[in-house]
Amino acid sequence: CKGLLIEESRTNIHKYSQDLSNWTVESGGSVTANTHISPAGDLTADSVNGTQSGSSAYSTFALTSGTTYTFSFFMKYVSGNQNFLISIGDAAFTRSNTTFNTSTGALVSNSGGTATVNDVVEFPNGWYRYSITRTATSTGSGFIDFNHTSSTASVVAVWGAQVEEGAFATSYILTEGTTNVTRGRDIVDIDGEDFTDFYNQTESTI
């Protein structure tokens, strides 16, 4: 046992968290569904393919002014150029541009808007989970845009896209269609022998 994760309730408003084939693609870009083993161990991660700088896939959602949102997603380097640009913007934000090295997980640059890169968490088999927080300055449609940054033909695997209200990312919430999905808050009780195994009643220590 490495610890106990107790989380508040959160809702993923990104309605196609694993199926990027429902995203909109722009010139030179394409998405191929279910091409890579995901961090969960199943064949549900997609390829975002690019043949020119700016080749991209993006998704939109409704945001509320004054609300803080955290955008999180898993990426894995596959081939071509290693740098990958994440743009967050539209009516609710001034566009921010954050570039990561998908091979090492390193932050390359972060400019425009007021995007805060919370963390980059390494997972097995070349995967990293990236987390970016922004606060909407107006009510309206927002987008997250995955962009290739080179004319070199490149592929990056993407999985587990999540957009949630809050200043940090919580554990992944699967969405599979047209509705948001909410994970209830965790409530934990430790009693009986499970409690006395680690709590010393006499000394009041753990």
Side-chain angles (χ1 to χ4, degrees):
C1 180
K2 294 184 177 180
L4 179 63
L5 176 64
I6 307 172
E7 294 187 297
E8 62 195 79
S9 177
R10 288 287 183 92
T11 298
N12 187 359
I13 65 172
H14 196 297
K15 296 177 181 177
Y16 293 99
S17 64
Q18 290 183 185
D19 189 0
L20 274 66
S21 64
N22 283 282
W23 291 25
T24 302
V25 295
E26 296 182 301
S27 178
S30 63
V31 173
T32 308
N34 303 330
T35 52
H36 300 278
I37 300 298
S38 76
D42 52 14
L43 190 64
T44 55
D46 300 341
S47 293
V48 178
N49 316 295
T51 58
Q52 63 188 48
S53 181
S55 299
S56 70
Y58 69 90
S59 182
T60 61
F61 23 79
L63 303 175
T64 302
S65 179
T67 301
T68 298
Y69 297 90
T70 294
F71 302 75
S72 57
F73 42 87
F74 294 79
M75 292 195 300
K76 176 180 179 178
Y77 172 72
V78 178
S79 64
N81 188 43
Q82 297 177 352
N83 289 349
F84 205 68
L85 170 66
I86 307 300
S87 292
I88 299 173
D90 220 351
F93 302 110
T94 300
R95 182 189 290 247
S96 62
N97 298 297
T98 308
T99 300
F100 297 101
N101 182 315
T102 57
S103 180
T104 65
L107 173 64
V108 176
S109 63
N110 186 33
S111 63
T114 53
T116 299
V117 178
N118 292 328
D119 53 25
V120 178
V121 180
E122 185 176 5
F123 281 71
N125 303 316
W127 285 100
Y128 292 89
R129 192 188 193 197
Y130 303 85
S131 170
I132 301 172
T133 295
R134 299 207 59 188
T135 299
T137 55
S138 63
T139 297
S141 177
F143 68 77
I144 184 169
D145 195 354
F146 288 70
N147 292 270
H148 291 273
T149 59
S150 170
S151 58
T152 301
S154 304
V155 178
V156 64
V158 179
W159 183 84
Q162 185 156 304
V163 181
E164 56 191 307
E165 292 187 20
F168 56 90
T170 62
S171 57
Y172 172 54
I173 303 168
L174 170 66
T175 60
E176 298 181 282
T178 57
T179 58
N180 303 333
V181 175
T182 299
R183 180 194 62 247
R185 66 190 179 99
D186 295 327
I187 303 173
V188 178
D189 291 311
I190 304 175
D191 57 15
E193 290 185 1
D194 292 328
F195 183 75
T196 56
D197 277 349
F198 68 83
Y199 182 75
N200 185 319
Q201 181 66 45
T202 303
E203 299 178 1
S204 300
T205 58
I206 296 176

